[in-house]
C-alpha cells in the first residue's frame, strides 16, 4: 500500500533518480542560458525603471540624465562579463566567487563572499517574483489586493519545479526566456523604426507632470541623485556571476561552454537594456515611487497601481489592447518570476560547497530523490517567502536591499583573481602565456577597482533605504558559518583516534530490560538482552500503580521468567527519574562497567498511533543519551497496523529484503 505522502511526492517531483544518472542531468548551452542567465536577462524589465524612479525625485529636469546613467551601467556589465569569463576558465569546479576569494585572499574574505552571495540569492528570488507580479498587476489591476498571496504561490511553484531537477526545470524555463528575449528585441526594433520614420511611440504617462521631492538641487545633491540612480540601475548586473557557480552543470568542455554562455548572456543583456532605456527616453515614459506624485494620473493614486516602464513602452509601440502587448506582459511576468531560477541553482550549490567545507550543516550537501540539492532549495524558498510577506510583496521596497551582496562578491572575487594571475605569472615560461596572463590580470584588476567603487556608491546611496539590513546580515552569516565550522572541527578532533590511544574494554556489562507488563514485546526484549550475553541481566519496572505492579509480579512468577524482576518505587508516579537514579547508582558503584538498557517499543502504521504509544520510552531515551557509560537499545514490536507501511516500503525500495520478501529492481527501458 502506497502512502498518500508518497503519492503526492511522486506527482510533484517525479520518479527518483539513481546516483549513477547524474551525468544525464548535464546541460547543453541552449538550456544553460535560461537556467543560469535568466536573472540578468530579465533585469532589463526593471533596471531602466529603477533609474527613472530615482531621477524623477528631482522632477522632470533630471530625466535627461538617464542615458548617461544607463551607459555607465552598460560599461560596468561588460567589465563584469569579461572578468567572470576569466573566473570560469580558471576555476571550473563551480565554487565561483567563493572559491576564488577563499583560495587567494583567505578564509575570511571567502566567507564574506559566500555570505554576500547567499543574501543576494535570497533577494533575487524575492525581487524577481515581486517584479513579475507587478507586471501581472499592470495587465490585470484587480489582482493588486492579492499581491502577497500570488507572490508566495509562485515561489511554491518554482520550488516544486526545481525539486524535480536541474534539467527538467531548464526545459520548463527555456521557452519563456527565449520568448521574452524575442519579444523585447522585436519591441526595440519596431519602436526604434517608428522613431526613425518620424512616428515615435508616446507613452501613456508622457503628458504627466511630476511632483518633485527635491527642487533646486545643488551640485553635490545632483551628483548624489545620479549616483543613487546608477546604483539602482546596477540591478541589471544581478545574477551575472551565476554561470561561474554552475560550471559543473555544463556539458564538456565545461569551462569553454560556460564562457560562451557568459558571453551570450552579456551581449543579449546589454542589447536589451540599451534598447529599453532608449525607448523609455523616446516615448517620454514617466514613473515615480509614489503614484500620487504623478500629476495627471487618471485613477485613484492611493489604490490604482501605475504601469511598469516596460508595460508603458509596449503599449506605446504596439497599443495597450493589442495581442503583442499582452504577449509581452505575459512573457515579462514569466521571465521575471522564472529569473528566480538563477538563485534556485546558485543558492543550493553554494550551500553544498560550504557544507562540504564544514561551514554549513552537512544536510545541505546531500542530493535529493531527483539529484537536486533539495534541502537548499527548500531553505531558499522559506527565507524568500518570509521576505515577501514582511515587505508586502513590494518590489520597490525589496530592491533597496538588493545588489549590495552582488558587488561585495564582485569586488573580492576580482581582487582574488589578480592574486591568482600573479602566481600564474611567476611560473609562466613562454612569451605567449605571459601575454595572456597579463591581459587577464589587467581585466580583473580593472574589474575589481570598478566594482569596488560601485560597491562604495551602492553602500552610501542605499544604506538608509534598507541596505543596512544586508550590511548587518552579512557579518552575522559569517559568524554563523564560523561557529558551524568550529563545531565540526571540535567534534572531529574529539572523535579522532590518535596513534597512542588504547582500546579499553569495560569490566562488565550490566543489561537492564524495562518492562511495564509481561507482553510479547517485553518477552522479545528479554530474549534479545539474553542473546547479547551480558554479565548481569535484570528486568526493572517502576511502581506507579500498585495493582499493575502486583499483576506483573504474579505474571513473572507464573511464567517462570528466569531473570529477576526489580521493582523501583515511585511515590510521585514518575517513570524517568527513578530509572535514571537507579542507573546512576549502578554506575557510581562500578564506574568501569557499562550499563545496557533495552526498551521495548511498538512500531505503528499511522502517525496518530504514535501519540498513543512509546511516549514514556521516548522521554527516557532522550535522558539516557546524556548519561556516560550507558547504551540504549530499542527492541521493536511491529503491530498489525504497521504491515501496510512495510509493504509500501518494499514497493518503493526495490532490491531490499523485508520479512522474507525480496524484490528486484525494474529492468531499465
Amino acid at each position: 500500500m502506497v502512502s498518500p505522502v508518497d503519492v503526492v511526492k511522486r506527482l510533484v517531483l517525479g520518479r527518483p533518480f539513481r546516483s549513477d544518472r547524474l551525468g544525464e542531468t548535464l546541460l547543453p548551452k541552449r538550456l544553460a542560458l535560461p537556467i543560469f542567465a535568466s536573472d540578468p536577462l530579465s533585469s532589463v524589465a526593471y533596471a531602466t525603471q529603477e533609474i527613472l524612479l530615482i531621477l524623477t525625485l528631482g522632477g522632470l529636469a533630471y530625466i535627461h540624465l538617464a542615458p548617461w546613467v544607463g551607459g555607465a551601467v552598460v560599461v560596468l556589465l561588460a567589465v563584469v562579463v569579461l572578468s567572470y569569463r576569466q573566473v570560469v576558465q580558471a576555476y571550473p569546479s563551480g565554487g565561483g566567487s567563493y572559491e576564488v576569494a577563499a583560495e587567494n585572499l583567505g578564509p575570511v574574505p571567502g566567507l564574506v563572499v559566500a555570505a554576500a552571495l547567499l543574501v543576494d540569492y535570497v533577494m533575487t528570488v524575492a525581487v524577481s517574483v515581486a517584479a513579475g507580479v507587478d507586471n501581472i498587476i499592470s495587465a490585470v489591476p484587480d489582482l493588486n489586493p492579492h499581491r502577497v498571496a500570488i507572490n508566495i504561490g509562485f515561489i511554491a511553484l518554482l520550488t516544486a519545479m526545481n525539486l524535480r531537477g536541474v534539467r527538467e526545470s531548464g526545459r520548463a524555463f527555456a521557452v519563456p526566456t527565449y520568448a521574452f528575449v524575442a519579444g523585447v528585441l522585436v519591441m526595440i526594433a519596431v519602436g526604434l523604426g517608428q522613431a526613425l520614420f518620424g512616428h515615435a511611440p508616446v507613452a501613456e504617462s508622457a503628458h504627466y507632470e511630476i511632483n518633485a521631492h527635491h527642487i533646486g538641487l545643488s551640485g553635490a545633491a545632483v551628483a548624489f541623485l545620479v549616483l543613487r540612480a546608477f546604483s539602482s540601475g546596477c540591478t541589471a548586473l544581478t545574477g551575472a556571476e551565476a554561470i561561474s557557480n554552475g560550471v559543473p552543470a555544463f556539458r564538456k568542455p565545461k569551462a569553454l561552454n560556460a564562457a560562451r554562455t557568459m558571453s551570450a548572456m552579456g551581449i543579449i543583456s546589454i542589447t536589451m537594456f540599451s534598447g529599453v532605456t532608449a525607448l523609455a527616453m523616446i516615448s517620454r515614459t514617466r514613473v515615480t515611487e509614489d503614484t500620487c506624485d504623478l500629476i495627471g494620473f487618471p485613477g485613484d493614486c492611493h489604490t490604482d497601481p501605475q504601469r511598469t516602464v516596460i508595460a508603458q513602452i509596449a503599449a506605446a509601440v504596439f497599443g495597450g489592447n493589442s495581442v503583442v502587448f499582452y504577449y509581452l506582459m505575459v512573457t515579462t511576468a514569466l521571465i521575471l518570476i522564472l529569473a528566480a531560477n538563477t538563485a534556485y541553482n546558485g543558492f543550493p550549490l553554494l550551500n553544498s560547497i560550504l557544507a562540504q567545507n564544514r561551514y554549513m550543516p552537512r544536510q545541505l550537501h546531500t542530493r535529493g530523490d531527483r539529484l537536486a540539492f533539495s534541502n537548499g532549495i527548500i531553505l531558499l524558498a522559506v527565507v524568500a517567502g518570509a521576505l515577501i510577506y514582511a515587505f508586502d510583496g513590494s518590489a520597490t521596497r525589496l530592491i533597496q536591499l538588493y545588489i549590495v551582496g552582488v558587488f561585495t562578491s564582485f569586488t573580492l572575487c576580482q581582487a582574488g583573481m589578480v592574486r591568482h594571475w600573479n602566481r600564474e605569472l611567476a611560473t609562466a615560461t613562454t612569451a605567449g602565456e605571459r601575454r595572456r596572463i597579463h591581459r587577464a590580470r589587467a581585466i580583473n584588476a580593472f574589474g575589481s577597482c570598478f566594482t569596488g567603487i560601485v560597491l562604495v556608491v551602492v553602500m552610501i546611496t542605499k544604506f538608509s533605504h534598507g541596505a543596512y539590513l544586508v550590511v548587518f546580515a552579512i557579518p552575522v552569516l559569517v559568524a554563523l558559518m564560523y561557529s558551524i565550522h568550529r563545531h565540526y572541527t571540535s567534534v572531529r578532533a574529539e572523535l579522532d583516534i590518535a596513534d597512542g590511544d588504547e582500546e579499553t574494554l569495560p569490566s562488565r556489562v550490566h543489561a537492564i530490560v524495562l518492562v511495564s507488563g509481561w507482553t510479547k514485546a517485553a518477552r522479545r526484549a528479554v530474549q534479545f538482552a539474553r542473546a547479547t550475553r551480558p554479565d548481569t541481566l535484570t528486568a526493572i519496572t517502576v511502581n506507579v500503580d500498585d495493582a499493575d505492579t502486583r499483576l506483573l509480579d504474579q505474571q513473572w512468577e507464573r511464567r517462570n521468567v528466569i531473570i529477576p524482576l526489580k521493582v523501583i518505587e515511585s511515590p510521585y508516579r514518575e517513570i524517568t527519574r527513578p530509572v535514571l537514579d537507579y542507573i546512576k547508582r549502578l554506575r557510581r558503584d562500578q564506574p568501569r562497567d557499562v550499563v545496557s538498557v533495552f526498551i521495548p517499543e511498538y512500531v505503528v502504521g499511522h502517525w496518530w498511533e504514535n501519540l498513543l504509544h512509546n511516549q514514556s520510552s521516548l522521554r527516557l531515551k532522550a535522558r539516557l543519551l546524556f548519561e556516560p557509560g550507558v547504551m540504549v537499545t530499542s527492541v521493536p514490536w511491529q503491530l498489525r497496523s504497521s504491515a501496510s507501511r512495510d509493504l509500501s516500503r518494499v514497493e518503493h525500495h526495490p532490491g531490499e529484503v523485508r520479512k522474507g520478501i525480496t524484490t528486484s529492481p525494474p529492468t531499465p527501458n
Side-chain angles (χ1 to χ4, degrees):
M1 179 180 176
V2 181
S3 69
V5 175
D6 288 333
V7 172
V8 174
K9 185 177 181 181
R10 294 282 74 86
L11 286 174
V12 174
L13 303 185
R15 293 185 303 169
F17 286 160
R18 291 168 57 93
S19 297
D20 55 13
R21 291 188 60 186
L22 183 60
E24 299 178 22
T25 66
L26 297 180
L27 301 169
K29 294 189 291 295
R30 69 179 185 277
L31 291 182
L33 183 67
I35 285 180
F36 293 110
S38 55
D39 184 18
L41 291 177
S42 69
S43 63
V44 302
Y46 55 80
T48 300
Q49 175 170 309
E50 292 305 313
I51 293 173
L52 295 177
L53 281 171
I54 302 303
L55 291 178
T56 52
L57 292 174
L60 293 176
Y62 298 100
I63 291 183
H64 73 279
L65 297 172
W68 298 98
V69 175
V73 172
V74 166
V75 172
L76 179 61
L77 179 56
V79 170
V80 168
V81 169
L82 288 174
S83 299
Y84 271 93
R85 276 180 56 90
Q86 314 299 323
V87 175
V88 164
Q89 296 178 28
Y91 291 89
S93 60
S97 300
Y98 163 69
E99 184 179 357
V100 172
E103 183 174 317
N104 297 287
L105 302 178
V108 174
L111 290 183
V112 171
V113 168
L117 284 174
L118 291 177
V119 170
D120 178 62
Y121 284 138
V122 172
M123 295 308 307
T124 295
V125 175
V127 171
S128 296
V129 173
V133 172
D134 278 352
N135 279 276
I136 293 175
I137 293 173
S138 290
V140 189
D142 291 341
L143 295 176
N144 191 45
H146 310 289
R147 179 185 298 270
V148 174
I150 296 172
N151 273 278
I152 293 177
F154 277 121
I155 289 177
L157 178 62
L158 285 168
T159 303
M161 293 175 69
N162 277 277
L163 288 173
R164 291 185 66 89
V166 173
R167 189 177 178 88
E168 287 203 21
S169 64
R171 290 195 184 102
F173 298 164
V175 173
T177 301
Y178 288 123
F180 168 75
V181 171
V184 172
L185 291 178
V186 169
M187 181 185 72
I188 292 170
V190 173
L192 293 179
Q194 291 173 349
L196 185 63
F197 288 103
H199 301 287
V202 179
E204 64 185 33
S205 60
H207 63 280
Y208 296 169
E209 296 294 328
I210 293 177
N211 180 24
H213 286 248
H214 306 286
I215 301 175
L217 295 176
S218 64
V222 172
F224 183 81
L225 188 70
V226 171
L227 289 175
R228 187 179 167 195
F230 171 69
S231 67
S232 294
C234 286
T235 52
L237 280 77
T238 55
E241 83 292 337
I243 292 175
S244 68
N245 294 328
V247 179
F250 283 79
R251 285 181 178 173
K252 295 180 179 179
K254 295 177 181 291
L256 180 61
N257 285 333
R260 289 175 175 173
T261 305
M262 177 78 73
S263 298
M265 179 269 294
I267 293 170
I268 296 171
S269 295
I270 288 172
T271 302
M272 292 197 299
F273 174 72
S274 301
V276 170
T277 303
L279 285 180
M281 300 305 298
I282 292 170
S283 62
R284 304 196 305 280
T285 303
R286 312 286 187 251
V287 63
T288 59
E289 290 186 358
D290 186 353
T291 307
C292 293
D293 289 334
L294 290 173
I295 301 172
F297 183 74
D300 185 350
C301 66
H302 297 289
T303 57
D304 296 339
Q306 55 187 310
R307 277 181 169 177
T308 60
V309 165
I310 199 167
Q312 292 189 47
I313 295 173
V317 173
F318 300 112
N321 293 315
S322 66
V323 174
V324 183
F325 168 77
Y326 284 106
Y327 166 86
L328 268 170
M329 290 303 94
V330 170
T331 56
T332 300
L334 282 175
I335 185 62
L336 283 168
I337 293 169
L338 298 182
N341 194 58
T342 299
Y344 272 101
N345 285 280
F347 183 91
L349 182 59
L350 178 57
N351 269 304
S352 173
I353 295 171
L354 290 168
Q356 187 175 14
N357 295 336
R358 302 296 194 274
Y359 287 110
M360 279 291 179
R362 292 290 295 169
Q363 295 90 330
L364 295 173
H365 180 59
T366 55
R367 295 180 182 268
D369 285 355
R370 303 282 291 184
L371 298 178
F373 295 109
S374 306
N375 292 330
I377 290 171
I378 293 171
L379 176 62
L380 174 62
V382 170
V383 179
L387 274 176
I388 287 287
Y389 182 81
F391 286 84
D392 299 321
S394 171
T396 302
R397 293 172 59 193
L398 285 166
I399 212 163
Q400 303 303 321
L401 283 68
Y402 214 9
I403 76 172
V404 173
V406 177
F407 283 98
T408 300
S409 63
F410 283 174
T411 303
L412 291 175
C413 176
Q414 302 314 311
M417 285 300 297
V418 172
R419 182 166 289 185
H420 166 79
W421 294 125
N422 287 337
R423 287 203 305 268
E424 292 289 310
L425 197 61
T427 59
T429 55
T430 65
E433 186 180 5
R434 292 180 67 85
R435 281 196 301 271
R436 179 186 64 82
I437 294 174
H438 277 298
R439 184 173 60 253
R441 185 178 64 174
I443 292 172
N444 289 127
F446 180 73
S448 178
C449 293
F450 199 173
T451 55
I453 293 171
V454 175
L455 175 61
V456 174
V457 171
V458 169
M459 292 275 288
I460 294 173
T461 57
K462 286 182 172 286
F463 188 85
S464 61
H465 297 276
Y468 67 90
L469 294 173
V470 176
V471 175
F472 293 150
I474 290 175
V476 169
L477 270 176
V478 170
L480 176 63
M481 288 188 284
Y482 251 115
S483 299
I484 292 172
H485 185 72
R486 187 166 56 247
H487 170 77
Y488 280 130
T489 302
S490 64
V491 169
R492 175 177 288 184
E494 185 177 344
L495 297 179
D496 190 36
I497 300 176
D499 293 337
D501 289 349
E502 297 181 0
E503 294 185 12
T504 303
L505 296 177
S507 299
R508 292 186 300 173
V509 176
H510 302 283
I512 296 174
V513 182
L514 302 181
V515 296
S516 58
W518 187 242
T519 62
K520 292 179 179 179
R523 184 177 63 184
R524 173 178 289 182
V526 169
Q527 291 170 342
F528 187 78
R530 289 181 60 196
T532 63
R533 300 185 181 278
D535 293 284
T536 65
L537 176 58
T538 307
I540 64 173
T541 187
V542 180
N543 182 18
V544 294
D545 185 283
D546 291 335
D548 290 341
T549 302
R550 283 195 298 271
L551 177 61
L552 175 60
D553 191 56
Q554 293 168 5
Q555 291 174 331
W556 211 263
E557 292 182 3
R558 187 169 65 252
R559 299 288 183 178
N560 294 319
V561 184
I562 62 174
I563 68 170
L565 173 66
K566 183 176 181 60
V567 178
I568 301 176
E569 296 297 330
S570 178
Y572 296 102
R573 299 162 304 283
E574 289 183 278
I575 295 177
T576 303
R577 186 178 297 277
V579 173
L580 284 172
D581 290 341
Y582 175 80
I583 293 173
K584 286 179 179 179
R585 285 196 301 271
L586 193 61
R587 286 275 302 152
R588 188 166 53 247
D589 296 338
Q590 300 160 330
R592 294 188 58 191
D593 294 353
V594 169
V595 178
S596 184
V597 182
F598 295 84
I599 305 177
E601 289 188 22
Y602 298 119
V603 179
V604 298
H606 306 96
W607 65 268
W608 52 268
E609 290 179 284
N610 280 311
L611 303 176
L612 308 178
H613 302 283
N614 301 326
Q615 298 305 307
S616 297
S617 62
L618 289 174
R619 288 193 297 270
L620 184 58
K621 283 195 295 184
R623 294 291 300 275
L624 288 173
L625 289 175
F626 292 93
E627 292 297 324
V630 176
M631 313 297 174
V632 181
T633 302
S634 295
V635 183
W637 178 268
Q638 290 80 10
L639 297 176
R640 287 194 182 95
S641 64
S642 67
S644 60
R645 287 185 63 87
D646 188 70
L647 289 175
S648 70
R649 288 193 185 100
V650 170
E651 293 174 9
H652 279 78
H653 297 276
E656 290 186 1
V657 179
R658 292 181 180 271
K659 291 190 175 179
I661 301 175
T662 306
T663 64
S664 299
T667 303
N669 294 327

PDB file of all heavy atoms in Angstrom, residues 562-577:
ATOM      1  N   ILE A 562      13.158 -16.430  33.853  1.00  0.00           N
ATOM      2  CA  ILE A 562      14.392 -16.856  34.522  1.00  0.00           C
ATOM      3  C   ILE A 562      15.262 -15.694  34.977  1.00  0.00           C
ATOM      4  O   ILE A 562      16.280 -15.911  35.642  1.00  0.00           O
ATOM      5  CB  ILE A 562      15.213 -17.772  33.596  1.00  0.00           C
ATOM      6  CG1 ILE A 562      15.614 -17.004  32.329  1.00  0.00           C
ATOM      7  CG2 ILE A 562      14.439 -19.025  33.252  1.00  0.00           C
ATOM      8  CD1 ILE A 562      16.544 -17.801  31.431  1.00  0.00           C
ATOM      9  N   ILE A 563      14.921 -14.442  34.612  1.00  0.00           N
ATOM     10  CA  ILE A 563      15.725 -13.316  35.087  1.00  0.00           C
ATOM     11  C   ILE A 563      14.959 -12.610  36.191  1.00  0.00           C
ATOM     12  O   ILE A 563      13.727 -12.627  36.225  1.00  0.00           O
ATOM     13  CB  ILE A 563      16.062 -12.338  33.941  1.00  0.00           C
ATOM     14  CG1 ILE A 563      14.799 -11.623  33.462  1.00  0.00           C
ATOM     15  CG2 ILE A 563      16.743 -13.051  32.789  1.00  0.00           C
ATOM     16  CD1 ILE A 563      15.097 -10.477  32.505  1.00  0.00           C
ATOM     17  N   PRO A 564      15.676 -12.000  37.135  1.00  0.00           N
ATOM     18  CA  PRO A 564      14.994 -11.356  38.260  1.00  0.00           C
ATOM     19  C   PRO A 564      14.258 -10.085  37.818  1.00  0.00           C
ATOM     20  O   PRO A 564      14.666  -9.402  36.873  1.00  0.00           O
ATOM     21  CB  PRO A 564      16.138 -11.024  39.222  1.00  0.00           C
ATOM     22  CG  PRO A 564      17.356 -10.926  38.354  1.00  0.00           C
ATOM     23  CD  PRO A 564      17.145 -11.923  37.260  1.00  0.00           C
ATOM     24  N   LEU A 565      13.169  -9.780  38.507  1.00  0.00           N
ATOM     25  CA  LEU A 565      12.404  -8.551  38.286  1.00  0.00           C
ATOM     26  C   LEU A 565      12.589  -7.652  39.498  1.00  0.00           C
ATOM     27  O   LEU A 565      12.316  -8.063  40.624  1.00  0.00           O
ATOM     28  CB  LEU A 565      10.918  -8.867  38.095  1.00  0.00           C
ATOM     29  CG  LEU A 565       9.988  -7.657  38.032  1.00  0.00           C
ATOM     30  CD1 LEU A 565      10.260  -6.818  36.771  1.00  0.00           C
ATOM     31  CD2 LEU A 565       8.512  -8.103  38.062  1.00  0.00           C
ATOM     32  N   LYS A 566      13.058  -6.448  39.271  1.00  0.00           N
ATOM     33  CA  LYS A 566      13.262  -5.499  40.355  1.00  0.00           C
ATOM     34  C   LYS A 566      12.219  -4.395  40.232  1.00  0.00           C
ATOM     35  O   LYS A 566      12.043  -3.815  39.154  1.00  0.00           O
ATOM     36  CB  LYS A 566      14.672  -4.900  40.307  1.00  0.00           C
ATOM     37  CG  LYS A 566      14.970  -3.944  41.454  1.00  0.00           C
ATOM     38  CD  LYS A 566      16.403  -3.467  41.403  1.00  0.00           C
ATOM     39  CE  LYS A 566      16.709  -2.538  42.576  1.00  0.00           C
ATOM     40  NZ  LYS A 566      16.516  -3.207  43.877  1.00  0.00           N
ATOM     41  N   VAL A 567      11.547  -4.110  41.320  1.00  0.00           N
ATOM     42  CA  VAL A 567      10.519  -3.060  41.348  1.00  0.00           C
ATOM     43  C   VAL A 567      11.123  -1.806  41.967  1.00  0.00           C
ATOM     44  O   VAL A 567      11.661  -1.846  43.082  1.00  0.00           O
ATOM     45  CB  VAL A 567       9.290  -3.516  42.152  1.00  0.00           C
ATOM     46  CG1 VAL A 567       8.263  -2.385  42.209  1.00  0.00           C
ATOM     47  CG2 VAL A 567       8.682  -4.769  41.519  1.00  0.00           C
ATOM     48  N   ILE A 568      11.036  -0.693  41.240  1.00  0.00           N
ATOM     49  CA  ILE A 568      11.528   0.600  41.726  1.00  0.00           C
ATOM     50  C   ILE A 568      10.324   1.425  42.159  1.00  0.00           C
ATOM     51  O   ILE A 568       9.400   1.648  41.370  1.00  0.00           O
ATOM     52  CB  ILE A 568      12.323   1.341  40.626  1.00  0.00           C
ATOM     53  CG1 ILE A 568      13.508   0.496  40.164  1.00  0.00           C
ATOM     54  CG2 ILE A 568      12.794   2.698  41.115  1.00  0.00           C
ATOM     55  CD1 ILE A 568      14.286   1.130  39.020  1.00  0.00           C
ATOM     56  N   GLU A 569      10.350   1.840  43.399  1.00  0.00           N
ATOM     57  CA  GLU A 569       9.234   2.626  43.913  1.00  0.00           C
ATOM     58  C   GLU A 569       9.277   4.051  43.361  1.00  0.00           C
ATOM     59  O   GLU A 569      10.354   4.642  43.176  1.00  0.00           O
ATOM     60  CB  GLU A 569       9.275   2.666  45.447  1.00  0.00           C
ATOM     61  CG  GLU A 569       9.078   1.307  46.107  1.00  0.00           C
ATOM     62  CD  GLU A 569       7.710   0.712  45.800  1.00  0.00           C
ATOM     63  OE1 GLU A 569       6.756   1.504  45.601  1.00  0.00           O
ATOM     64  OE2 GLU A 569       7.595  -0.517  45.741  1.00  0.00           O
ATOM     65  N   SER A 570       8.080   4.582  43.119  1.00  0.00           N
ATOM     66  CA  SER A 570       7.975   5.957  42.617  1.00  0.00           C
ATOM     67  C   SER A 570       6.784   6.627  43.296  1.00  0.00           C
ATOM     68  O   SER A 570       5.668   6.626  42.768  1.00  0.00           O
ATOM     69  CB  SER A 570       7.803   5.964  41.092  1.00  0.00           C
ATOM     70  OG  SER A 570       7.665   7.289  40.612  1.00  0.00           O
ATOM     71  N   PRO A 571       7.005   7.210  44.471  1.00  0.00           N
ATOM     72  CA  PRO A 571       5.882   7.803  45.217  1.00  0.00           C
ATOM     73  C   PRO A 571       5.239   8.983  44.487  1.00  0.00           C
ATOM     74  O   PRO A 571       4.082   9.325  44.756  1.00  0.00           O
ATOM     75  CB  PRO A 571       6.531   8.249  46.536  1.00  0.00           C
ATOM     76  CG  PRO A 571       7.993   8.373  46.222  1.00  0.00           C
ATOM     77  CD  PRO A 571       8.276   7.333  45.184  1.00  0.00           C
ATOM     78  N   TYR A 572       5.967   9.618  43.582  1.00  0.00           N
ATOM     79  CA  TYR A 572       5.405  10.757  42.841  1.00  0.00           C
ATOM     80  C   TYR A 572       4.961  10.359  41.433  1.00  0.00           C
ATOM     81  O   TYR A 572       4.744  11.220  40.572  1.00  0.00           O
ATOM     82  CB  TYR A 572       6.424  11.905  42.770  1.00  0.00           C
ATOM     83  CG  TYR A 572       6.758  12.461  44.133  1.00  0.00           C
ATOM     84  CD1 TYR A 572       7.943  12.111  44.772  1.00  0.00           C
ATOM     85  CD2 TYR A 572       5.874  13.313  44.787  1.00  0.00           C
ATOM     86  CE1 TYR A 572       8.251  12.605  46.026  1.00  0.00           C
ATOM     87  CE2 TYR A 572       6.168  13.814  46.037  1.00  0.00           C
ATOM     88  CZ  TYR A 572       7.358  13.463  46.657  1.00  0.00           C
ATOM     89  OH  TYR A 572       7.653  13.955  47.909  1.00  0.00           O
ATOM     90  N   ARG A 573       4.864   9.032  41.170  1.00  0.00           N
ATOM     91  CA  ARG A 573       4.329   8.484  39.924  1.00  0.00           C
ATOM     92  C   ARG A 573       5.144   8.893  38.690  1.00  0.00           C
ATOM     93  O   ARG A 573       4.637   8.973  37.591  1.00  0.00           O
ATOM     94  CB  ARG A 573       2.851   8.897  39.731  1.00  0.00           C
ATOM     95  CG  ARG A 573       1.945   8.383  40.840  1.00  0.00           C
ATOM     96  CD  ARG A 573       0.645   9.139  40.882  1.00  0.00           C
ATOM     97  NE  ARG A 573       0.846  10.576  41.034  1.00  0.00           N
ATOM     98  CZ  ARG A 573       1.175  11.171  42.185  1.00  0.00           C
ATOM     99  NH1 ARG A 573       1.348  10.435  43.286  1.00  0.00           N
ATOM    100  NH2 ARG A 573       1.337  12.474  42.242  1.00  0.00           N
ATOM    101  N   GLU A 574       6.422   9.141  38.907  1.00  0.00           N
ATOM    102  CA  GLU A 574       7.307   9.406  37.778  1.00  0.00           C
ATOM    103  C   GLU A 574       7.913   8.099  37.294  1.00  0.00           C
ATOM    104  O   GLU A 574       8.013   7.129  38.048  1.00  0.00           O
ATOM    105  CB  GLU A 574       8.436  10.354  38.189  1.00  0.00           C
ATOM    106  CG  GLU A 574       8.008  11.781  38.440  1.00  0.00           C
ATOM    107  CD  GLU A 574       9.219  12.657  38.762  1.00  0.00           C
ATOM    108  OE1 GLU A 574       9.667  12.664  39.915  1.00  0.00           O
ATOM    109  OE2 GLU A 574       9.716  13.301  37.812  1.00  0.00           O
ATOM    110  N   ILE A 575       8.312   8.090  36.038  1.00  0.00           N
ATOM    111  CA  ILE A 575       8.977   6.910  35.483  1.00  0.00           C
ATOM    112  C   ILE A 575      10.438   7.207  35.158  1.00  0.00           C
ATOM    113  O   ILE A 575      11.342   6.440  35.521  1.00  0.00           O
ATOM    114  CB  ILE A 575       8.240   6.423  34.217  1.00  0.00           C
ATOM    115  CG1 ILE A 575       6.831   5.939  34.574  1.00  0.00           C
ATOM    116  CG2 ILE A 575       9.034   5.314  33.516  1.00  0.00           C
ATOM    117  CD1 ILE A 575       6.011   5.502  33.385  1.00  0.00           C
ATOM    118  N   THR A 576      10.685   8.335  34.511  1.00  0.00           N
ATOM    119  CA  THR A 576      12.038   8.634  34.021  1.00  0.00           C
ATOM    120  C   THR A 576      13.035   8.817  35.153  1.00  0.00           C
ATOM    121  O   THR A 576      14.108   8.199  35.168  1.00  0.00           O
ATOM    122  CB  THR A 576      12.015   9.895  33.141  1.00  0.00           C
ATOM    123  OG1 THR A 576      11.086   9.704  32.069  1.00  0.00           O
ATOM    124  CG2 THR A 576      13.390  10.190  32.574  1.00  0.00           C
ATOM    125  N   ARG A 577      12.708   9.656  36.137  1.00  0.00           N
ATOM    126  CA  ARG A 577      13.668   9.975  37.183  1.00  0.00           C
ATOM    127  C   ARG A 577      14.061   8.752  38.024  1.00  0.00           C
ATOM    128  O   ARG A 577      15.256   8.544  38.282  1.00  0.00           O
ATOM    129  CB  ARG A 577      13.127  11.086  38.087  1.00  0.00           C
ATOM    130  CG  ARG A 577      14.136  11.580  39.125  1.00  0.00           C
ATOM    131  CD  ARG A 577      13.538  12.705  39.952  1.00  0.00           C
ATOM    132  NE  ARG A 577      13.237  13.860  39.123  1.00  0.00           N
ATOM    133  CZ  ARG A 577      14.136  14.791  38.766  1.00  0.00           C
ATOM    134  NH1 ARG A 577      15.383  14.665  39.167  1.00  0.00           N
ATOM    135  NH2 ARG A 577      13.788  15.796  38.023  1.00  0.00           N
TER     136      ARG A 577
END
